[in-house]
Short mmCIF file of all heavy atoms in Angstrom, two decimals:
data_model
loop_
_atom_site.label_atom_id
_atom_site.label_comp_id
_atom_site.label_asym_id
_atom_site.label_seq_id
_atom_site.Cartn_x
_atom_site.Cartn_y
_atom_site.Cartn_z
N TYR A 880 1.47 3.34 2.41
CA TYR A 880 2.35 3.53 3.56
C TYR A 880 3.62 2.69 3.46
O TYR A 880 4.67 3.08 3.96
CB TYR A 880 1.62 3.26 4.87
CG TYR A 880 0.74 4.42 5.26
CD1 TYR A 880 -0.63 4.31 5.28
CD2 TYR A 880 1.30 5.65 5.57
CE1 TYR A 880 -1.43 5.38 5.61
CE2 TYR A 880 0.51 6.73 5.89
CZ TYR A 880 -0.85 6.59 5.92
OH TYR A 880 -1.63 7.66 6.24
N GLY A 881 3.55 1.55 2.81
CA GLY A 881 4.76 0.77 2.57
C GLY A 881 5.74 1.53 1.70
O GLY A 881 6.94 1.54 1.95
N LYS A 882 5.22 2.19 0.69
CA LYS A 882 6.07 3.00 -0.19
C LYS A 882 6.62 4.22 0.57
O LYS A 882 7.76 4.61 0.38
CB LYS A 882 5.29 3.43 -1.42
CG LYS A 882 4.91 2.27 -2.29
CD LYS A 882 4.49 2.71 -3.65
CE LYS A 882 4.10 1.53 -4.50
NZ LYS A 882 5.19 0.64 -4.83
N PHE A 883 5.80 4.80 1.44
CA PHE A 883 6.24 5.93 2.27
C PHE A 883 7.40 5.51 3.17
O PHE A 883 8.40 6.22 3.29
CB PHE A 883 5.06 6.45 3.09
CG PHE A 883 5.42 7.01 4.43
CD1 PHE A 883 6.11 8.21 4.55
CD2 PHE A 883 5.09 6.34 5.59
CE1 PHE A 883 6.46 8.72 5.78
CE2 PHE A 883 5.42 6.85 6.83
CZ PHE A 883 6.11 8.05 6.92
N LEU A 884 7.28 4.34 3.79
CA LEU A 884 8.35 3.88 4.68
C LEU A 884 9.64 3.66 3.91
O LEU A 884 10.72 4.07 4.36
CB LEU A 884 7.93 2.58 5.38
CG LEU A 884 6.75 2.70 6.34
CD1 LEU A 884 6.34 1.32 6.84
CD2 LEU A 884 7.06 3.62 7.49
N ASP A 885 9.55 3.02 2.74
CA ASP A 885 10.74 2.78 1.92
C ASP A 885 11.38 4.08 1.48
O ASP A 885 12.60 4.23 1.55
CB ASP A 885 10.39 1.94 0.69
CG ASP A 885 9.99 0.52 1.05
OD1 ASP A 885 10.33 0.06 2.16
OD2 ASP A 885 9.34 -0.13 0.21
N ALA A 886 10.57 5.02 1.04
CA ALA A 886 11.11 6.30 0.55
C ALA A 886 11.75 7.09 1.69
O ALA A 886 12.77 7.74 1.49
CB ALA A 886 10.00 7.12 -0.12
N ALA A 887 11.18 7.04 2.87
CA ALA A 887 11.72 7.79 4.00
C ALA A 887 13.00 7.16 4.55
O ALA A 887 13.94 7.87 4.91
CB ALA A 887 10.68 7.90 5.11
N LEU A 888 13.03 5.85 4.60
CA LEU A 888 14.17 5.16 5.22
C LEU A 888 15.28 4.80 4.24
O LEU A 888 16.46 4.92 4.56
CB LEU A 888 13.69 3.90 5.94
CG LEU A 888 12.77 4.14 7.14
CD1 LEU A 888 12.19 2.82 7.63
CD2 LEU A 888 13.54 4.84 8.25
N ASP A 889 14.91 4.33 3.05
CA ASP A 889 15.90 3.84 2.10
C ASP A 889 16.12 4.75 0.90
O ASP A 889 17.04 4.52 0.12
CB ASP A 889 15.49 2.46 1.57
CG ASP A 889 15.28 1.45 2.69
OD1 ASP A 889 15.99 1.55 3.70
OD2 ASP A 889 14.42 0.57 2.54
N GLY A 890 15.25 5.74 0.75
CA GLY A 890 15.37 6.63 -0.40
C GLY A 890 14.94 5.97 -1.70
O GLY A 890 15.33 6.40 -2.78
N LYS A 891 14.11 4.92 -1.61
CA LYS A 891 13.67 4.22 -2.81
C LYS A 891 12.17 4.34 -2.97
O LYS A 891 11.45 4.11 -2.02
CB LYS A 891 14.06 2.75 -2.73
CG LYS A 891 15.56 2.58 -2.69
CD LYS A 891 15.97 1.14 -2.69
CE LYS A 891 17.48 1.12 -2.59
NZ LYS A 891 18.08 -0.10 -2.82
N PRO A 892 11.66 4.71 -4.09
CA PRO A 892 12.36 4.96 -5.35
C PRO A 892 13.06 6.33 -5.38
O PRO A 892 13.84 6.60 -6.28
CB PRO A 892 11.26 4.90 -6.40
CG PRO A 892 10.04 5.35 -5.67
CD PRO A 892 10.22 4.84 -4.26
N TYR A 893 12.79 7.18 -4.40
CA TYR A 893 13.45 8.48 -4.28
C TYR A 893 13.37 8.91 -2.83
O TYR A 893 12.55 8.41 -2.06
CB TYR A 893 12.78 9.53 -5.20
CG TYR A 893 11.29 9.63 -4.99
CD1 TYR A 893 10.75 10.43 -3.99
CD2 TYR A 893 10.41 8.88 -5.76
CE1 TYR A 893 9.40 10.49 -3.77
CE2 TYR A 893 9.05 8.93 -5.55
CZ TYR A 893 8.54 9.75 -4.55
OH TYR A 893 7.19 9.80 -4.33
N LYS A 894 14.24 9.82 -2.42
CA LYS A 894 14.27 10.27 -1.03
C LYS A 894 13.06 11.15 -0.74
O LYS A 894 12.80 12.13 -1.43
CB LYS A 894 15.56 11.06 -0.77
CG LYS A 894 15.68 11.64 0.62
CD LYS A 894 15.81 10.57 1.67
CE LYS A 894 16.02 11.22 3.04
NZ LYS A 894 15.34 10.51 4.09
N LEU A 895 12.33 10.79 0.27
CA LEU A 895 11.18 11.57 0.73
C LEU A 895 11.65 12.50 1.83
O LEU A 895 12.31 12.07 2.78
CB LEU A 895 10.09 10.63 1.24
CG LEU A 895 8.78 11.24 1.64
CD1 LEU A 895 8.08 11.80 0.40
CD2 LEU A 895 7.89 10.20 2.30
N HIS A 896 11.33 13.78 1.74
CA HIS A 896 11.78 14.75 2.73
C HIS A 896 10.69 15.20 3.68
O HIS A 896 10.98 15.73 4.74
CB HIS A 896 12.37 15.98 2.03
CG HIS A 896 13.64 15.66 1.31
ND1 HIS A 896 14.86 15.62 1.93
CD2 HIS A 896 13.87 15.34 0.02
CE1 HIS A 896 15.80 15.30 1.06
NE2 HIS A 896 15.22 15.12 -0.12
N GLY A 897 9.44 15.01 3.31
CA GLY A 897 8.35 15.44 4.17
C GLY A 897 7.05 14.77 3.79
O GLY A 897 6.92 14.16 2.73
N ILE A 898 6.09 14.90 4.70
CA ILE A 898 4.77 14.32 4.46
C ILE A 898 3.72 15.16 5.18
O ILE A 898 3.99 15.70 6.25
CB ILE A 898 4.70 12.84 4.91
CG1 ILE A 898 3.42 12.18 4.42
CG2 ILE A 898 4.86 12.71 6.41
CD1 ILE A 898 3.43 10.67 4.56
N VAL A 899 2.56 15.27 4.55
CA VAL A 899 1.39 15.91 5.17
C VAL A 899 0.32 14.84 5.26
O VAL A 899 -0.05 14.24 4.25
CB VAL A 899 0.88 17.10 4.33
CG1 VAL A 899 -0.37 17.69 4.94
CG2 VAL A 899 1.97 18.16 4.20
N MET A 900 -0.16 14.58 6.46
CA MET A 900 -1.17 13.54 6.68
C MET A 900 -2.44 14.15 7.24
O MET A 900 -2.38 14.98 8.15
CB MET A 900 -0.64 12.49 7.66
CG MET A 900 0.52 11.70 7.12
SD MET A 900 1.15 10.51 8.31
CE MET A 900 2.12 11.60 9.34
N THR A 901 -3.56 13.74 6.70
CA THR A 901 -4.86 14.20 7.17
C THR A 901 -5.65 13.02 7.71
O THR A 901 -5.84 12.02 7.01
CB THR A 901 -5.66 14.85 6.02
OG1 THR A 901 -4.88 15.92 5.50
CG2 THR A 901 -6.98 15.38 6.50
#
Side-chain angles (χ1 to χ4, degrees):
Y880 282 114
K882 295 196 181 293
F883 148 70
L884 295 174
D885 292 340
L888 294 171
D889 303 328
K891 297 183 182 191
Y893 52 85
K894 177 67 176 142
L895 185 67
H896 293 277
I898 191 167
V899 177
M900 294 178 281
T901 302

